[in-house]
Amino acid sequence: MIKFFLMVNKQGQTRLSRYYEHVELHKRTLLEAEVIKNCLSRSKDQCSFIEYKDFKLVYRQYAALFIVVGINETENEMAVYELIHNFVEVLDKYFSRVSELDIMFNLDRVHIILDEMVLNGCIVETNRSRILAPLLVLDKMAET
Amino acid sequence: MKECMVRLIYCEMLGYESSFGYIHAIKLAQQGNLLEKRVGYLAVSLFLHENHELLLLLVNTVVKDLQSTNLVEVCMALTVVSQIFPREMIPAVLPLIEDKLQHSKEIIRRKAVQALYKFYLIAPNQVQHIHDKFRKALCDRDVGVMAASLHIYLQMIKENSSGYKDLTESFVTILKQVVGGKLPIDFNYHSVPAPWLQIQLLRILGLLGKDDPRTSELMYDVLDESLRRAEINHNITYAILFECVQTIYTIHPKPDLLEKAAKCIGKFVLSPKINLKYLGLKALTYVIQQDPNLALQHQMTIIECLDHPDPIIKRETLELLYRITNGQNVTVIVQKMLDYLKQSKEEYTIINLVSKIAELAEKYAPANEWFIQTMNAVFSIGGDVMHPDIPNNFLRLLAEGFDDEKEDEQLRLYAVQSYLGLLEEEDAVYPQKFLQVMSWVLGEYSYIINDEGDPEVIMTRLCKLLKKTFVTSETKAWIMAAITKIASLNRGSKTVDKLIQEFSTSLDTCMRQYAFELKHLCEDKDLMKNLLPRDASCNDMVVDASLSFLDGFVAEGLSRGAAPYKPHHQRQEEKLSQEKALNFEPYGLSLSSSMSSSGFTGRQSPTGLSFGSDVSGNSTEMGQKEMSSLKLDGVKKLWGKDGYLPKKESKTGKEDKLEAVPPGSTLGGNMVDHPLSEADQEVVSPSEEEKEKQQLASTLFVGLASNNAVSLMGKADTTTQKFKRKSKISETQNSEEAPSIQYDATLSFRPLPEAQSNDNENIQSTEHVRLRKSSLSSSEVLEASVSFKRPQSLTEAGLDAKLPDCRLSPSSLFADNNIEVFQPSQVIPSVVASKASLIPSLSEELANNPHSEAVELCSCDTLAVNLCKVWTDDCLLLVLFVANRSSSALKNVNLVFENSEHFKIVEGLSYHFPVIKAQSLESCQKSVQMEKNCMQEILVGSLNYQLEMETGLEFSVTLSLTDFIRPMKITTEDFGKLWLSFSNDVKQNVKMSPSQGSLSIALNTLQQKLKLHVVDIVGNEGLVACQLLPSVPCLLHCRTHAGMLALWLRSPCSALPDSLLYQCQKFQLATRRHARKQIHCHSSP
């Protein structure tokens, strides 16, 4: 099961956070700080899975942006590792060459995309066109 | 507004509380245009949690949107429902969502299934009736809908795999189609067809095929195919392969598949890609439990990984090694683990690794020196974060020793020497737990090196510790106990004198107390020797749990007109029927506070042991007491502590004289820890001798406490240890069991008019219990004094006809009965001897309770096990009959239950029959309590016996919630009060069959089937009450309306109403079906 989904940049600023279990606000900031510290301390040739407390972190770096997913032991690390990439591919398709700024200024849209993919900590949809369909409809409605 | 909301989300994300905006998020979802609505819903799902109060405001919006003709709106509503929705409002949207399952758009159907999945997660009972719709979703023509339904199935199969075996074939077919590339092309990810879907399916298959050869048979082909297809070199195929390997090793094995899986693992482990290596190690760790040989093939790789620069890889490798440790390799593996431990700083890792090392060291230690050194390392690194079982287990090992006496001696000698060495270093700082272990060992075993070492030296070293600031007061207590023990072995010592002098004036009351105790002990050497025998930590303490030494006191009290003790439920009944009489509630509260203080002292005095059992025995009472005390608001003040205080003072003196406790009182230990200690003792002043004895007792128990604590705590995982513990421990447990069973029996016994003499015994014994409590602390005297007052009010009311009888000639009665009831060594009543035949039958006492028929659990040529459930008032008793069918006697038959997270067996998991004669029957009984709420769970156990070789029989017992439900007899008035005080409620409408007709019939079925108590029936409304043992009440309000039965349940426990509702529905359905069948039968001829 996926516990949380984070996007944090190298400076430690959170760009997106989604928790699938209720975590209190002040604990979130603490957790995020520790998580990014853990990720930054690792070099490129080290493995992308970290054991942290009683769960595992799977992270992937895209330019200056880290995507970190917290999972419990029932989840398949590699599958989640690829899920991150799938998510980025979807973002890439929607924003056409996504950048950190896109995510900052379209936080709601990124969230909507993520909600289509992951629900209650389960991976529910990975088909790119299906993930984007509801959002594209919304966009079209907004234009008219 | 939308922009504002996005910014608000941003603020929350950065950690700034923005709860002021939550309501606007809900408003936005309600009023905005489409995009705004979506953002509103999004904000709601990000801001609120499941139990947030604002969430209720969302329900209306959701309902409206679900009915909307705009698909986008429906879609949004479904999304938010599947993310977050208040549990109690599910019935409001459930029918709407069910409708959506037939919608023509796939996305709507898919989202509806996801919403149902959410409902299944938070309230499985509410979607019980739509299981066949899940099946329809599984067969949906759209892949997305099918994939969504897999989540539900994974969850359901996890909980109960046997119910879905028939679906295996469908899952296999689906997987075959996916693997074969039959899906639309846009499901591919890097040209792998729907990889996450494959993973999901593989997981389901693994769960289904576990331990089931026939089901596994079905999936071999498709697994083989998946392995074959996943050959492209891409991360996602590795993920699929990993899942495949796990499934192959989970299901019933097939050799050539195993071989292929092993090859696959080999490829992973050897891969230069680090993520793959990690995955390989993880797979290997999983696989190695089934097939240790695989590790041999990859020896060299594993060794390389051990020195890998990446700590995560190292950690995973250690995990793997931990699984393959044995007697030969333990030294190396533990060394590696310790090395890793020294570098790691994270608390979580330390706790985890330390307990693993300790476990390995205990299991496989090759030599004494090594063992002690390893444990030293464990203690100094693990320090105070480690699990308390580790030091306890270690001390128990030392104390009980192994089979070889000489070996023990050496181990202890080595331990003492190494600790002395460690203490020699001046500035070393050790964790508290380590210091405690050291001081206990030195106190207990330092005499071993007396020939070469001077006790003075040891004591000086310990004294030095006492002065250090980093030592906590708990550790100081351990150290003082050690010094006392050492002092007892030696004639007068300067160090001790100095110590006494120094601490007699200490500001720390505990330390001062110890110093005084030590002083008095030193004055009387013989007594000291008696109390602190050498190397006796393993000897059993004889604790008079029935407190028979108080008999005299009780008799005296009764002869002076005190009322005999009555058990709690009896008192409560009396109180209910006579509200205006004396109120005992405030004392219920003071009782609980004294309980907690006894819990504290329990650490140090063995009396704590007996009180420990006392606490558990009475916990139900306390629970109820506190609960019911809520009801009595006005009366309470009259009898509050303060109001009664002056009277209590005068009583205290009296009481103490009365108490003039018989010598050897084990109660002393408790007085000592009372904060009033010094001043109080001087005022009240029992004789000097008395006081000294109390102190002695407490000192004595300090030393033994460690031992007791040890022997009681480490119950888990003792079978595989190399250091076999002597059977003493089980004896201790048994002997402790005996009185507690007895005690339970007396508590649950309800006075019957015809068994008058029995009745008296009971009342007396419970009186003991009560008095025992009352002597716990002085505030408790209050309670005792009340019991003296009671007879007046009772006789005035003329409440209980039996009571005067009891009081007629109390002293003469007790004189006779004492002997019978209060011998702790009495035969355990649970061994009911009915040896004449092999037909199981309950003893008379038990047969009076409602019970099930005896059912055969398992049998073989020699043995048969039958089970009978007895539903007593306060617990579920499992009576197990073991029949020996063979012609020779069986010795050492052991019955062991496996630990279950749902149930607790009160008297321990195992039972030992020393011998079962040929062609005879033995029985044992275990009372079971439900720890964790569940509908139905299985309790697994086994029976081991020695014939020619060790043989074991396994059996399982299915226990359902109804086994733990008892009627709760309360009045309508109380029902009303309780009803308002409970927060969790569930409502549901159930259809009634015409034949059932009236409410009373429906309630009657519930009363019979579920053991509920019908409180009242008024018109078309009925009140029903029950409790889940030990004391969780649940109230049920029923109303019939136009052929529907509206059930409304309330309870303080959140899960109980749901479960109970489910049971109600089940029985209701069953009776309906039954009725229908009857009608059918009538009409057909």
Side-chain angles (χ1 to χ4, degrees):
Chain A
M1 194 186 128
I2 296 173
K3 300 222 174 180
F4 56 79
F5 198 104
L6 293 180
M7 286 171 116
V8 192
N9 70 7
K10 266 191 170 168
Q11 284 82 48
Q13 291 157 318
T14 313
R15 289 290 169 233
L16 175 127
S17 72
R18 179 68 149 149
Y19 291 83
Y20 297 100
E21 268 174 2
H22 181 64
V23 183
E24 272 171 50
L25 210 56
H26 63 277
K27 284 190 187 145
R28 290 186 187 190
T29 28
L30 270 179
L31 180 98
E32 282 159 25
E34 275 199 44
V35 163
I36 191 64
K37 208 177 76 199
N38 262 315
C39 293
L40 282 172
S41 69
R42 297 179 64 80
S43 65
K44 274 232 165 73
D45 55 335
Q46 288 186 315
C47 117
S48 320
F49 317 126
I50 313 177
E51 284 178 36
Y52 174 76
K53 297 209 168 143
D54 54 344
F55 50 91
K56 285 188 181 144
L57 304 174
V58 178
Y59 70 94
R60 218 166 160 155
Q61 191 181 356
Y62 293 92
L65 202 61
F66 277 94
I67 299 185
V68 192
V69 184
I71 55 173
N72 68 4
E73 70 282 1
T74 57
E75 198 64 56
N76 181 334
E77 287 92 345
M78 196 58 104
V80 174
Y81 186 70
E82 282 308 300
L83 176 80
I84 297 176
H85 192 68
N86 192 5
F87 176 62
V88 173
E89 278 181 8
V90 175
L91 289 184
D92 221 32
K93 187 175 169 189
Y94 181 76
F95 293 109
S96 50
R97 296 203 59 77
V98 67
S99 69
E100 196 178 328
L101 285 179
D102 285 326
I103 295 164
M104 274 176 73
F105 293 120
N106 294 289
L107 189 63
D108 49 338
R109 290 188 166 78
V110 180
H111 263 297
I112 292 172
I113 292 174
L114 183 61
D115 282 353
E116 289 295 321
M117 293 180 73
V118 182
L119 201 74
N120 291 312
C122 299
I123 305 170
V124 289
E125 185 62 82
T126 51
N127 180 334
R128 242 180 290 173
S129 48
R130 288 194 173 195
I131 293 167
L132 289 178
L135 186 58
L136 290 174
V137 171
L138 276 181
D139 284 341
K140 209 180 274 171
M141 295 247 184
E143 273 168 30
T144 53
Chain B
M1 194 65 204
K2 181 198 146 225
E3 279 307 305
C4 286
M5 203 43 68
V6 176
R7 281 184 172 72
L8 216 54
I9 294 176
Y10 212 90
C11 290
E12 279 265 286
M13 189 180 76
L14 295 177
Y16 301 101
E17 168 98 31
S18 54
S19 52
F20 59 87
Y22 292 177
I23 186 71
H24 297 290
I26 290 175
K27 274 192 195 157
L28 194 64
Q30 226 155 32
Q31 294 154 353
N33 66 28
L34 274 180
L35 194 57
E36 285 173 350
K37 206 179 199 44
R38 182 68 188 97
V39 173
Y41 275 135
L42 172 70
V44 166
S45 75
L46 283 168
F47 291 154
L48 306 185
H49 57 88
E50 216 98 89
N51 300 318
H52 201 285
E53 50 193 352
L54 285 179
L55 204 53
L56 282 175
L57 297 179
L58 194 71
V59 177
N60 204 16
T61 322
V62 168
V63 172
K64 209 178 72 202
D65 283 342
L66 280 177
Q67 288 163 327
S68 157
T69 48
N70 189 338
L71 286 185
V72 186
E73 278 182 353
V74 179
C75 211
M76 282 179 208
L78 284 171
T79 309
V80 82
V81 166
S82 45
Q83 281 170 329
I84 186 169
F85 201 74
R87 201 170 63 129
E88 57 272 25
M89 296 310 284
I90 290 177
V93 293
L94 193 56
L96 287 173
I97 291 176
E98 274 182 67
D99 284 347
K100 297 286 181 271
L101 286 176
Q102 271 97 41
H103 203 275
S104 58
K105 279 274 185 221
E106 69 81 22
I107 188 164
I108 304 285
R109 290 202 303 273
R110 177 161 63 87
K111 296 217 172 240
V113 174
Q114 284 166 2
L116 289 178
Y117 171 61
K118 177 71 180 177
F119 292 167
Y120 181 79
L121 286 181
I122 55 179
N125 304 324
Q126 308 230 9
V127 290
Q128 207 89 33
H129 58 286
I130 34 184
H131 277 194
D132 43 331
K133 290 196 180 152
F134 294 154
R135 285 191 187 228
K136 216 177 261 168
L138 183 67
C139 307
D140 198 281
R141 60 186 181 280
D142 186 82
V143 186
V145 183
M146 181 271 294
S149 75
L150 287 183
H151 291 287
I152 303 181
Y153 277 106
L154 182 68
Q155 196 65 30
M156 291 197 295
I157 291 170
K158 233 183 239 169
E159 281 156 24
N160 168 25
S161 69
S162 58
Y164 302 94
K165 299 273 184 196
D166 56 318
L167 284 174
T168 316
E169 224 149 331
S170 320
F171 292 128
V172 168
T173 323
I174 296 170
L175 183 56
K176 226 173 236 165
Q177 284 173 357
V178 176
V179 173
K182 300 267 163 48
L183 297 188
I185 196 87
D186 60 346
F187 280 92
N188 285 9
Y189 173 77
H190 291 262
S191 65
V192 179
W196 290 277
L197 182 60
Q198 287 190 40
I199 289 172
Q200 188 83 355
L201 282 163
L202 285 168
R203 278 185 199 152
I204 292 179
L205 289 183
L207 288 172
L208 282 172
K210 196 176 181 191
D211 305 323
D212 184 348
R214 254 198 29 239
T215 317
S216 302
E217 195 75 36
L218 297 171
M219 49 185 91
Y220 289 145
D221 275 349
V222 75
L223 287 175
D224 193 40
E225 173 131 359
S226 310
L227 276 182
R228 217 152 23 83
R229 291 263 181 173
E231 294 225 302
I232 325 155
N233 282 333
H234 190 276
N235 276 334
I236 196 65
T237 57
Y238 301 142
I240 298 173
L241 280 178
F242 173 80
E243 212 63 50
C244 253
V245 168
Q246 254 193 343
T247 307
I248 288 172
Y249 271 91
T250 313
I251 62 172
H252 190 80
K254 186 190 181 200
D256 74 308
L257 268 185
L258 289 185
E259 201 177 302
K260 278 180 192 165
K263 214 182 274 171
C264 199
I265 295 175
K267 219 167 71 190
F268 280 12
V269 179
L270 292 172
S271 162
K273 284 185 194 160
I274 185 128
N275 286 343
L276 210 50
K277 210 180 204 70
Y278 174 89
L279 214 58
L281 284 172
K282 196 181 164 194
L284 202 54
T285 316
Y286 182 79
V287 161
I288 241 159
Q289 293 160 59
Q290 271 92 350
D291 182 11
N293 287 331
L294 258 180
L296 293 178
Q297 291 174 25
H298 302 296
Q299 269 177 26
M300 286 325 290
T301 334
I302 294 172
I303 301 289
E304 270 167 36
C305 288
L306 212 48
D307 295 321
H308 202 277
D310 189 346
I312 299 294
I313 296 282
K314 253 192 204 172
R315 176 85 183 75
E316 199 60 32
T317 317
L318 287 178
E319 185 71 38
L320 194 156
L321 289 178
Y322 164 72
R323 307 276 164 109
I324 55 165
T325 312
N326 56 38
Q328 278 97 52
N329 60 12
V330 66
T331 341
V332 195
I333 291 179
V334 167
Q335 191 52 48
K336 289 281 175 201
M337 284 176 147
L338 282 174
D339 288 346
Y340 184 85
L341 201 53
K342 275 167 198 153
Q343 289 160 13
S344 116
K345 283 178 199 69
E346 218 210 357
E347 191 177 307
Y348 219 89
T349 327
I350 294 177
I351 296 174
N352 190 327
L353 262 184
V354 151
S355 57
K356 277 180 181 155
I357 295 176
E359 189 197 325
L360 291 179
E362 264 182 46
K363 259 194 209 166
Y364 303 114
N368 289 333
E369 288 80 5
W370 182 86
F371 180 58
I372 297 291
Q373 261 160 10
T374 309
M375 289 313 278
N376 284 352
V378 163
F379 289 138
S380 45
I381 300 173
D384 294 322
V385 294
M386 69 185 165
H387 201 265
D389 272 359
I390 298 173
N392 290 337
N393 280 336
F394 173 68
L395 290 185
R396 193 188 57 211
L397 267 178
L398 272 184
E400 284 166 8
F402 330 116
D403 299 329
D404 184 2
E405 199 49 50
K406 214 169 157 193
E407 192 89 332
D408 296 352
E409 200 80 336
Q410 265 179 354
L411 181 65
R412 289 169 193 161
L413 176 68
Y414 193 81
V416 171
Q417 279 170 346
S418 89
Y419 293 155
L420 277 179
L422 285 173
L423 286 182
E424 210 164 352
E425 287 169 47
E426 278 292 318
D427 301 320
V429 176
Y430 299 107
Q432 303 299 322
K433 292 250 175 69
F434 194 18
L435 284 175
Q436 290 167 11
V437 168
M438 284 195 217
S439 48
W440 189 84
V441 171
L442 288 179
E444 204 65 38
Y445 298 115
S446 66
Y447 69 88
I448 298 177
I449 60 156
N450 262 4
D451 345 332
E452 57 213 79
D454 184 7
E456 285 293 304
V457 178
I458 303 173
M459 280 201 274
T460 336
R461 269 177 213 164
L462 287 172
C463 286
K464 254 185 212 151
L465 277 181
L466 281 179
K467 283 165 206 153
K468 295 227 166 104
T469 43
F470 65 86
V471 178
T472 62
S473 57
E474 193 197 345
T475 314
K476 278 184 185 164
W478 287 70
I479 297 172
M480 274 309 262
I483 293 177
T484 316
K485 278 185 252 176
I486 299 173
S488 76
L489 299 172
N490 303 286
R491 297 267 151 213
S493 129
K494 266 183 213 153
T495 329
V496 173
D497 293 340
K498 223 171 83 193
L499 187 84
I500 292 173
Q501 224 168 27
E502 196 167 329
F503 284 100
S504 300
T505 54
S506 164
L507 282 178
D508 184 343
T509 40
C510 278
M511 290 308 289
R512 196 159 59 197
Q513 180 73 43
Y514 290 124
F516 274 120
E517 285 161 14
L518 186 56
K519 188 175 159 201
H520 285 293
L521 276 176
C522 286
E523 281 163 12
D524 190 350
K525 278 285 169 191
D526 288 335
L527 187 65
M528 194 175 194
K529 280 249 158 75
N530 267 337
L531 282 172
L532 302 166
R534 174 187 285 206
D535 191 19
S537 58
C538 289
N539 298 354
D540 295 336
M541 291 290 300
V542 183
V543 179
D544 188 356
S546 65
L547 297 188
S548 52
F549 54 83
L550 280 176
D551 287 356
F553 174 58
V554 174
E556 199 177 329
L558 284 168
S559 65
R560 285 153 45 103
Y565 175 75
K566 276 183 279 176
H568 177 76
H569 51 84
Q570 198 183 345
R571 267 181 285 150
Q572 202 164 35
E573 272 166 37
E574 281 166 16
K575 196 182 66 217
L576 288 175
S577 58
Q578 191 206 10
E579 278 281 48
K580 278 169 200 147
L582 255 180
N583 162 31
F584 298 101
E585 293 323 310
Y587 313 117
L589 289 176
S590 68
L591 170 76
S592 66
S593 69
S594 75
M595 282 298 184
S596 62
S597 77
S598 87
F600 171 65
T601 53
R603 280 189 65 84
Q604 313 190 349
S605 80
T607 17
L609 272 183
S610 60
F611 290 126
S613 64
D614 195 338
V615 170
S616 64
N618 279 308
S619 59
T620 49
E621 269 182 39
M622 276 168 52
Q624 283 177 346
K625 236 179 203 171
E626 256 153 20
M627 200 183 66
S628 46
S629 73
L630 289 172
K631 298 181 290 179
L632 296 148
D633 6 42
V635 208
K636 196 170 169 182
K637 283 168 202 152
L638 264 176
W639 293 92
K641 255 184 192 167
D642 300 7
Y644 223 62
L645 217 57
K647 259 187 183 171
K648 170 194 145 196
E649 221 82 272
S650 63
K651 278 279 180 193
T652 319
K654 221 175 176 180
E655 207 65 29
D656 272 305
K657 262 177 244 154
L658 249 182
E659 210 168 325
V661 189
S665 150
T666 39
L667 280 170
N670 287 294
M671 297 291 267
V672 175
D673 276 304
H674 208 264
L676 304 170
S677 54
E678 242 197 4
D680 203 26
Q681 271 177 17
E682 270 173 31
V683 179
V684 181
S685 172
S687 64
E688 185 64 24
E689 193 187 329
E690 187 59 42
K691 185 175 142 200
E692 198 175 306
K693 264 179 194 152
Q694 287 173 359
Q695 287 177 346
L696 281 186
S698 84
T699 351
L700 167 69
F701 305 144
V702 173
L704 283 156
S706 51
N707 169 44
N708 274 327
V710 169
S711 62
L712 280 177
M713 276 167 110
K715 269 180 196 158
D717 171 47
T718 50
T719 42
T720 48
Q721 280 176 8
K722 182 196 164 202
F723 296 156
K724 268 187 207 136
R725 290 192 273 118
K726 287 177 186 161
S727 53
K728 234 172 216 168
I729 188 99
S730 60
E731 281 167 32
T732 332
Q733 273 170 7
N734 273 344
S735 60
E736 271 166 23
E737 237 167 65
S740 79
I741 288 177
Q742 208 179 354
Y743 174 61
D744 277 349
T746 46
L747 264 188
S748 64
F749 197 96
R750 275 168 180 264
L752 299 164
E754 63 265 27
Q756 195 68 64
S757 65
N758 260 348
D759 197 355
N760 283 334
E761 281 170 22
N762 270 305
I763 289 174
Q764 196 206 359
S765 74
T766 33
E767 177 79 63
H768 278 303
V769 175
R770 189 189 167 81
L771 286 172
R772 177 156 33 133
K773 275 181 224 148
S774 67
S775 48
L776 268 178
S777 69
S778 58
S779 70
E780 274 305 308
V781 176
L782 199 52
E783 197 190 356
S785 72
V786 171
S787 71
F788 289 119
K789 287 226 150 193
R790 263 175 63 194
Q792 293 150 13
S793 69
L794 285 180
T795 35
E796 268 167 33
L799 227 197
D800 200 330
K802 281 171 272 164
L803 284 176
D805 285 346
C806 308
R807 264 187 277 126
L808 277 179
S809 56
S811 48
S812 68
L813 262 174
F814 294 137
D816 295 340
N817 289 335
N818 282 344
I819 316 144
E820 245 177 69
V821 188
F822 293 109
Q823 277 174 355
S825 59
Q826 201 188 17
V827 189
I828 305 167
S830 59
V831 186
V832 185
S834 56
K835 291 174 184 169
S837 69
L838 286 181
I839 304 156
S841 66
L842 285 172
S843 68
E844 225 168 278
E845 192 183 345
L846 290 175
N848 282 338
N849 287 306
H851 57 85
S852 69
E853 294 295 309
V855 191
E856 185 169 284
L857 287 180
C858 64
S859 64
C860 65
D861 295 342
T862 41
L863 277 178
V865 183
N866 282 289
L867 169 86
C868 193
K869 288 183 190 172
V870 180
W871 298 288
T872 63
D873 286 342
D874 53 3
C875 67
L876 169 71
L877 275 183
L878 297 180
V879 184
L880 289 139
F881 300 94
V882 182
N884 181 358
R885 292 170 168 177
S886 70
S887 52
S888 55
L890 285 175
K891 277 185 188 161
N892 287 331
V893 181
N894 274 315
L895 197 134
V896 185
F897 280 101
E898 270 173 35
N899 224 336
S900 155
E901 58 168 330
H902 294 284
F903 305 111
K904 193 179 104 190
I905 298 180
V906 181
E907 305 99 20
L909 292 170
S910 63
Y911 189 84
H912 177 74
F913 300 96
V915 67
I916 303 180
K917 287 192 194 134
Q919 295 294 328
S920 74
L921 188 76
E922 292 280 350
S923 75
C924 82
Q925 63 185 45
K926 294 269 173 199
S927 59
V928 185
Q929 277 178 0
M930 190 177 257
E931 288 261 279
K932 208 171 134 189
N933 227 322
C934 62
M935 287 292 171
Q936 197 169 47
E937 275 300 325
I938 294 170
L939 191 62
V940 187
S942 64
L943 191 73
N944 296 307
Y945 60 96
Q946 203 100 37
L947 201 59
E948 275 125 35
M949 50 184 184
E950 186 88 13
T951 326
L953 266 180
E954 289 203 355
F955 59 83
S956 62
V957 185
T958 312
L959 301 176
S960 77
L961 183 77
T962 42
D963 286 328
F964 298 92
I965 297 282
R966 298 287 179 274
M968 186 161 83
K969 300 207 164 98
I970 54 172
T971 60
T972 317
E973 213 173 306
D974 284 316
F975 187 96
K977 283 177 193 162
L978 281 177
W979 182 261
L980 294 175
S981 64
F982 295 160
S983 52
N984 297 296
D985 69 346
V986 173
K987 289 181 205 174
Q988 180 90 17
N989 290 338
V990 187
K991 225 179 232 163
M992 287 184 15
S993 66
S995 71
Q996 260 175 318
S998 78
L999 179 70
S1000 60
I1001 297 174
L1003 289 185
N1004 262 336
T1005 39
L1006 287 182
Q1007 183 163 16
Q1008 280 163 17
K1009 304 272 182 182
L1010 276 171
K1011 297 188 279 269
L1012 307 180
H1013 172 69
V1014 178
V1015 180
D1016 207 354
I1017 300 181
V1018 186
N1020 64 344
E1021 291 185 40
L1023 307 177
V1024 183
C1026 69
Q1027 55 180 339
L1028 174 68
L1029 291 175
S1031 65
V1032 187
C1034 186
L1035 305 178
L1036 171 61
H1037 177 269
C1038 312
R1039 206 161 66 91
T1040 47
H1041 178 70
M1044 294 291 274
L1045 180 63
L1047 299 169
W1048 189 2
L1049 292 109
R1050 274 194 178 186
S1051 164
C1053 162
S1054 62
L1056 185 57
D1058 261 335
S1059 331
L1060 202 66
L1061 179 65
Y1062 173 58
Q1063 297 286 356
C1064 289
Q1065 277 176 313
K1066 214 170 78 182
F1067 283 116
Q1068 204 63 28
L1069 278 180
T1071 44
R1072 233 163 68 198
R1073 248 178 244 135
H1074 184 67
R1076 214 177 287 157
K1077 217 184 272 169
Q1078 272 182 333
I1079 294 169
H1080 190 70
C1081 288
H1082 285 303
S1083 59
S1084 59

